[in-house]
Amino acid sequence: MSLLFKNVKELVRDIDEFINTVEQGVLVFKEGVINYLNDEKTSFAEKLERINYLEANADKLQRKIDDEFLMHSILPQNISDIENMLDKIDEIIDISKDNLYQFEVEIPYFPEEIVQDYIRLTNTSVEAALHAFPAVRTFFREPLKVKDILTKVFFYEKEADRISRNIKRKLFHEMDELQLSQKIHLRYFALHIETISDKAETLADMLSIMALKINL
Amino acid sequence: MIILFYLSSGLFLGWSLGANDAANIFGTAVGSRMVRFKKAAVIASIFVIIGAVVQGAGASETLGKLGNISTLAAAFTVALSAALSVYWMTRMKLPVSTSQAIVGAIIGWNFYTNNPTDIGTLTKIVTTWISGPLLGGVFAILLFMLVKRVQKKVSLHLLYRDAIIRYGLLLVGGFGAYSLGANNIANVMGVFTGSVNLPVIDLGFATFNSTEQLFFIGGVAIAIGIITYSKRVMETVGNTLMPLTPEAAIVVVLAQSLVLFIFSSQTLSDAFQSIGLPPIPLVPVSSSQIVIGAIIGIGLYKGGKEIKFNILGSISLGWLATPIVAGLVSFFLLFFVNNVFKKDVGANENSPVQEIVMKIDSIAESAIKDDTISLVKEKQDITVENTVSEKPSVSTKKPVDIPMVVFGSLSFLLLLLVIWFTIKIRKNKQKQNRLLQNLENKYSLKIENFEISLEDYKVKQNDLDKELKFRQSEMVTMAMNIIQKNEFLSSLKSEIIEIKSSVKDPEARQAFNRLSLMISQNLSIDRDREKFQMHINEQNSNFLRILSEKYPSITENEKRLTVLLRLNLSSKEIASILNISPKSVEMNRYRLRKKLKVSPKVNLSDFIRDL
């Protein structure tokens, strides 16, 4: 029996590993941003290296999973949806890596009084993504339960939006000591961090439709 | 070698059965790419042969009871009649079944040879034609309920579920092929068992008698049909016949296999008898009709909304038309083989047709004899006409069997009717083709004219596009102006309120109040937006009407967004006009995309403009 399901077992393991890799990537992103904000340069460099490795690994796994699906014509009726979903998951780690590199390249200056806000934004935005991954795992095992899990993703996405808005307001209304160029620069970093939750929301939307479709 | 020639009609029937009926077993699996064709063909071929050799005797015996065809020529003709009827009716796009064709052809042989048709056996067979699809439907409902219950209780990883379904389709397909071979081999080789006697083959571990060898050959013919031609049927007909989910496909194939198995298993029939139940009739039944019964069963379980009940009419038509056509073809072919090729088709001496033939022969013989005598005796006064005129006097001596003549005439008339119908259809087609040709000629000139005017229109279209772009930008500017004006007035008003609070002079305060009021009157954001909306609605009234007709569930907000997207505005511009965030516009666009069912690959604005 185990021989019959050997390929399936491997593919299930690959999918789980892929999700785990992206999840780790998002966590590394979070730690990396916090390291940067706390001026922990060595740790930040380590995080950059780590996310680079994880992103490459995720790409490799995604290609392997894609090949397996196509080669053995697995779930032929849902293959395009599943491939799209894998793309969306991969986008999260891609954007996390890109964003972390933005910190390294642009070296933005964060005044002391706004650092905590950015940490909160990072935590909330990452939280949205972290709640999307269990939903992906549940989609493969119990599609009916996906919707319940996704509510948290939508909640954290909205929260991230709100925090980001507050940061921008604070930057432009309260922090007169900063130059306009600095304000705009920091505004962009709020946007970069917020994108993680936006991507998680896109994935969640897709998952909810796929769960409905698969239960028809 | 001569035996092989005679078997050729049965082998052709087997080939066509394999080519068509394998789609009932593996159609959905192959069509939905759950199982590769090669794998399906190998499994189906192996199991069809095993089923035919191991369990094919029961149904074949019943056919033997209906008409024990004793000569090779007759068996060849009967199988050929069934094959030709199936081929002709398939070409005419009429519902047809090999099982029913062979039964009709055997009855045709009975009529021709004056062998009695066992009404009991015939009733048994006809009953299974009706009970087969019914049983298929019942089995499908029960199995579908079971599958749904199991699915609810067991939560499996999607990939494991997919693998189980895949193996399930192969397993059930194998069983289906076995049952198909066991049940339908009687159609292919059943008529030959009484006339072909092959020497027993002893392989040491097993012996194969003549019938088993025949069934093996028939099974191979079915397998060749599966390998050579069923792929096309599976990928086209197989999919259209059963647009089912893989789970439902398993249920349908299993229900079909069970019914075919039940109607061909001697052991099961004996078991029924041993517990005091009536024996199961072992009869070849139509696998396609059982499949239709099973699909209708699942449809009924789901609420009956998707069922096409007209398919029931086509089954009933198949029940009637197939045996009649096959019977008639068989009757006339036997007549031809018997009297033109002078082959023994097992006709009884007292067969009415034989009697007629013998009478005609004797008339002809006596005529020749008379001629000879008259020539020998050189009696010139007796003419050929005179000898011919004697014919009625001969026939009056032995009266022809009236019911047989009536049957023959009716059959002949029916055949004429069928031929007339075919010719009429062909003529109609030719007429339609001519009409089409005329229309094409007539309109080709018009098309040329249209092409010229199309060029003019293209030039005009370009002008209109330019104007449209101008108007779009005008509208956006208008909207932007509204918003900017409102923003300016709002800030002016708050400035005035601030100044007013610092001024103590009552006259000045009153003046400030008047000023604030004037601004408030002008600052009616909603009213301005409404105006703008009205303006847009007027310009796009036709488009909005089409949109509402095509997508009745579309909301007012979505309509507004659609119109703005049609104007080719960016999300940012739309956000300013609707006073929402660009992200909300994105979300709304996403929802609109879902509602309009636009694929992610298609650009939403392009899709809306093409509506």
Side-chain angles (χ1 to χ4, degrees):
Chain A
M1 198 68 173
S2 61
L3 196 72
L4 281 176
F5 296 110
K6 197 184 157 210
N7 284 335
V8 181
K9 215 172 173 182
E10 263 182 44
L11 187 58
V12 169
R13 206 179 50 216
D14 285 344
I15 292 174
D16 285 341
E17 203 183 324
F18 173 70
I19 300 167
N20 289 344
T21 310
V22 178
E23 198 169 17
Q24 277 183 50
V26 174
L27 285 168
V28 169
F29 166 79
K30 184 176 98 173
E31 289 306 313
V33 174
I34 293 170
N35 287 158
Y36 184 88
L37 291 170
N38 293 334
D39 205 21
E40 296 158 351
K41 289 193 173 75
T42 330
S43 297
F44 177 72
E46 273 172 22
K47 299 295 173 322
L48 271 179
E49 209 175 297
R50 180 99 187 110
I51 204 167
N52 216 4
Y53 166 77
L54 288 170
E55 198 265 337
N57 201 24
D59 279 349
K60 209 161 70 187
L61 278 167
Q62 196 198 354
R63 272 195 291 276
K64 195 178 167 199
I65 295 165
D66 272 1
D67 290 349
E68 281 290 310
F69 266 101
L70 289 170
M71 205 153 47
H72 300 290
S73 152
I74 294 164
L75 289 169
Q77 289 171 324
N78 311 91
I79 192 162
S80 68
D81 281 344
I82 289 175
E83 281 182 346
N84 273 338
M85 183 183 74
L86 295 176
D87 281 345
K88 295 274 176 265
I89 298 170
D90 189 54
E91 262 178 36
I92 295 178
I93 195 169
D94 284 349
I95 218 106
S96 301
K97 189 190 98 173
D98 287 349
N99 287 346
L100 209 55
Y101 268 96
Q102 302 272 26
F103 281 89
E104 196 239 352
V105 174
E106 297 181 14
I107 322 169
Y109 163 68
F110 289 93
E112 197 61 46
E113 59 264 44
I114 205 144
V115 164
Q116 282 312 313
D117 293 312
Y118 272 90
I119 290 178
R120 213 172 142 223
L121 175 64
T122 312
N123 281 333
T124 315
S125 188
V126 162
E127 205 62 33
L130 291 178
H131 276 96
F133 301 130
V136 177
R137 289 194 193 98
T138 312
F139 167 76
F140 281 108
R141 287 172 175 87
E142 288 169 281
L144 277 171
K145 290 186 181 164
V146 164
K147 231 165 178 148
D148 303 334
I149 301 170
L150 291 177
T151 44
K152 286 184 183 170
V153 180
F154 297 123
F155 170 77
Y156 283 113
E157 195 276 332
K158 277 192 181 66
E159 270 301 293
D161 272 359
R162 194 183 59 79
I163 297 166
S164 170
R165 209 165 37 244
N166 287 345
I167 287 174
K168 283 175 227 163
R169 193 171 293 122
K170 199 170 175 180
L171 281 173
F172 288 95
H173 291 257
E174 294 168 23
M175 302 181 78
D176 296 333
E177 70 278 11
L178 290 177
Q179 289 176 1
L180 182 63
S181 59
Q182 283 178 313
K183 288 177 184 175
I184 292 170
H185 198 198
L186 289 181
R187 196 257 320 258
Y188 274 117
F189 276 86
L191 278 176
H192 290 326
I193 298 168
E194 203 192 329
T195 334
I196 310 281
S197 62
D198 289 343
K199 292 284 170 195
E201 194 195 23
T202 314
L203 175 64
D205 281 330
M206 196 176 181
L207 271 173
S208 61
I209 296 165
M210 280 170 69
L212 271 177
K213 268 168 82 175
I214 216 143
N215 282 312
L216 277 179
Chain B
M1 200 60 197
I2 193 77
I3 289 179
L4 254 181
F5 169 76
Y6 279 122
L7 285 180
S8 63
S9 60
L11 298 180
F12 173 58
L13 202 60
W15 178 85
S16 93
L17 188 106
N20 289 303
D21 288 13
N24 294 334
I25 299 164
F26 279 112
T28 305
V30 173
S32 64
R33 288 174 287 133
M34 290 288 281
V35 176
R36 286 181 205 283
F37 172 73
K38 269 186 194 168
K39 208 181 264 179
V42 168
I43 289 175
S45 302
I46 292 170
F47 281 94
V48 146
I49 296 171
I50 295 174
V53 177
V54 175
Q55 206 179 296
S60 176
E61 210 174 288
T62 312
L63 279 191
K65 277 182 201 163
L66 186 69
N68 191 15
I69 299 164
S70 52
T71 69
L72 251 178
F76 167 81
T77 316
V78 167
L80 185 69
S81 313
L84 287 176
S85 310
V86 170
Y87 174 76
W88 180 72
M89 286 181 75
T90 311
R91 280 209 65 177
M92 295 291 289
K93 292 184 176 169
L94 291 168
V96 64
S97 141
T98 319
S99 312
Q100 284 145 23
I102 202 81
V103 167
I106 292 174
I107 294 171
W109 179 81
N110 282 347
F111 269 108
Y112 182 77
T113 56
N114 201 30
N115 274 308
T117 301
D118 183 356
I119 298 298
T121 311
L122 186 64
T123 316
K124 209 197 279 181
I125 291 172
V126 173
T127 314
T128 56
W129 290 351
I130 302 161
S131 59
L134 275 176
L135 211 57
V138 172
F139 279 153
I141 293 174
L142 294 174
L143 289 168
F144 198 69
M145 278 163 73
L146 187 75
V147 167
K148 284 279 153 196
R149 193 161 286 184
V150 170
Q151 267 186 345
K152 264 186 192 169
K153 287 203 171 167
V154 183
S155 62
L156 265 175
H157 194 285
L158 273 185
L159 299 186
Y160 279 104
R161 201 171 96 180
D162 178 74
I164 288 170
I165 289 171
R166 208 174 287 263
Y167 289 124
L169 280 168
L170 285 176
L171 206 71
V172 169
F175 177 46
Y178 175 87
S179 304
L180 183 75
N183 189 279
N184 278 205
I185 192 70
N187 299 333
V188 179
M189 285 289 147
V191 289
F192 292 97
T193 51
S195 54
V196 177
N197 203 7
L198 300 167
V200 175
I201 295 175
D202 191 356
L203 293 174
F205 57 91
T207 53
F208 292 97
N209 60 30
S210 172
T211 310
E212 283 166 344
Q213 287 173 54
L214 274 176
F215 286 174
F216 176 77
I217 296 167
V220 171
I222 300 175
I224 292 171
I226 295 172
I227 293 162
T228 55
Y229 205 75
S230 69
K231 190 179 182 183
R232 253 179 67 180
V233 186
M234 280 185 197
E235 283 171 355
T236 53
V237 183
N239 235 359
T240 49
L241 180 74
M242 296 193 286
L244 301 166
T245 59
E247 290 95 330
I250 289 186
V251 167
V252 168
V253 177
L254 191 57
Q256 173 208 354
S257 314
L258 284 171
V259 177
L260 288 172
F261 185 82
I262 286 170
F263 285 125
S264 57
S265 172
Q266 186 68 57
T267 324
L268 202 68
S269 178
D270 292 345
F272 260 60
Q273 270 180 299
S274 68
I275 54 167
L277 290 168
I280 300 166
L282 305 180
V283 175
V285 278
S286 163
S287 60
S288 308
Q289 291 177 2
I290 302 169
V291 164
I292 293 168
I295 292 173
I296 289 176
I298 292 178
L300 282 173
Y301 176 75
K302 282 181 170 175
K305 279 179 191 166
E306 294 162 18
I307 302 174
K308 292 172 186 165
F309 282 101
N310 56 353
I311 211 160
L312 289 175
S314 81
I315 295 186
S316 316
L317 185 67
W319 285 334
L320 284 172
T322 317
I324 291 174
V325 171
L328 286 172
V329 174
S330 170
F331 189 91
F332 285 104
L333 277 185
L334 283 165
F335 185 86
F336 191 70
V337 168
N338 191 9
N339 295 298
V340 177
F341 293 109
K342 297 287 175 201
K343 291 284 173 194
D344 178 17
V345 291
N348 287 337
E349 285 299 311
N350 54 353
S351 151
V353 182
Q354 277 306 103
E355 276 179 20
I356 294 168
V357 171
M358 278 165 69
K359 276 171 206 164
I360 294 167
D361 277 353
S362 67
I363 291 162
E365 264 173 35
S366 65
I368 293 163
K369 208 174 174 183
D370 287 350
D371 267 352
T372 319
I373 291 163
S374 63
L375 280 167
V376 170
K377 287 182 180 174
E378 293 180 0
K379 286 181 179 173
Q380 296 298 321
D381 54 321
I382 302 165
T383 59
V384 176
E385 283 82 4
N386 284 343
T387 55
V388 173
S389 69
E390 280 177 23
K391 278 179 192 171
S393 64
V394 175
S395 62
T396 49
K397 281 176 196 167
K398 282 185 181 177
V400 177
D401 192 353
I402 289 168
M404 201 55 228
V405 172
V406 171
F407 172 75
S409 320
L410 275 176
S411 308
F412 184 67
L413 280 173
L414 246 166
L415 192 72
L416 279 180
L417 202 73
V418 170
I419 292 168
W420 174 79
F421 194 63
T422 318
I423 293 168
K424 202 182 169 191
I425 288 174
R426 197 164 286 173
K427 272 189 176 174
N428 271 345
K429 261 189 184 172
Q430 281 172 351
K431 202 178 165 186
Q432 275 177 351
N433 283 342
R434 270 201 304 276
L435 269 170
L436 266 174
Q437 191 64 41
N438 287 340
L439 277 172
E440 265 177 30
N441 292 339
K442 196 177 162 188
Y443 285 106
S444 60
L445 268 172
K446 282 192 175 179
I447 287 167
E448 276 175 27
N449 290 333
F450 277 130
E451 272 170 2
I452 296 162
S453 53
L454 191 69
E455 285 301 313
D456 292 343
Y457 278 120
K458 272 183 186 168
V459 176
K460 280 182 188 168
Q461 178 83 35
N462 270 339
D463 294 343
L464 283 171
D465 278 347
K466 276 177 197 165
E467 202 184 319
L468 187 70
K469 270 184 191 166
F470 172 72
R471 288 201 181 273
Q472 279 172 9
S473 59
E474 198 183 49
M475 254 188 277
V476 175
T477 320
M478 183 182 162
M480 291 299 188
N481 280 341
I482 292 166
I483 292 158
Q484 277 170 11
K485 185 196 84 179
N486 286 337
E487 276 171 6
F488 170 71
L489 288 175
S490 298
S491 56
L492 197 67
K493 192 184 166 190
S494 34
E495 198 73 26
I496 288 166
I497 291 165
E498 227 178 281
I499 298 167
K500 190 184 83 177
S501 59
S502 58
V503 174
K504 284 176 184 168
D505 178 24
E507 268 183 34
R509 281 177 76 92
Q510 220 171 10
F512 276 126
N513 273 343
R514 273 203 305 275
L515 209 57
S516 178
L517 194 70
M518 271 168 71
I519 292 167
S520 292
Q521 278 169 349
N522 268 291
L523 192 79
S524 176
I525 295 167
D526 283 341
R527 208 175 58 199
D528 284 339
R529 200 165 286 138
E530 237 169 63
K531 259 189 200 168
F532 176 66
Q533 197 54 49
M534 269 172 64
H535 185 58
I536 277 192
N537 284 354
E538 263 173 36
Q539 296 241 325
N540 296 281
S541 57
N542 207 24
F543 169 75
L544 286 170
R545 186 180 52 78
I546 294 168
L547 193 71
S548 303
E549 276 170 12
K550 242 179 163 178
Y551 304 97
S553 63
I554 200 160
T555 62
E556 281 306 312
N557 280 340
E558 283 161 349
K559 274 186 199 169
R560 206 170 298 155
L561 178 65
T562 316
V563 168
L564 293 172
L565 283 169
R566 193 169 178 248
L567 293 172
N568 210 14
L569 299 178
S570 70
S571 293
K572 229 173 173 182
E573 287 165 333
I574 295 171
S576 305
I577 293 165
L578 298 179
N579 202 23
I580 53 174
S581 71
K583 183 121 200 326
S584 304
V585 177
E586 286 302 322
M587 191 60 207
N588 289 338
R589 278 177 71 128
Y590 175 74
R591 286 188 189 124
L592 186 67
R593 189 180 273 274
K594 275 202 286 185
K595 199 161 258 182
L596 302 185
K597 289 172 189 153
V598 184
S599 130
K601 287 170 193 165
V602 179
N603 183 289
L604 185 61
S605 304
D606 290 348
F607 177 83
I608 291 167
R609 272 198 300 278
D610 292 341
L611 267 175

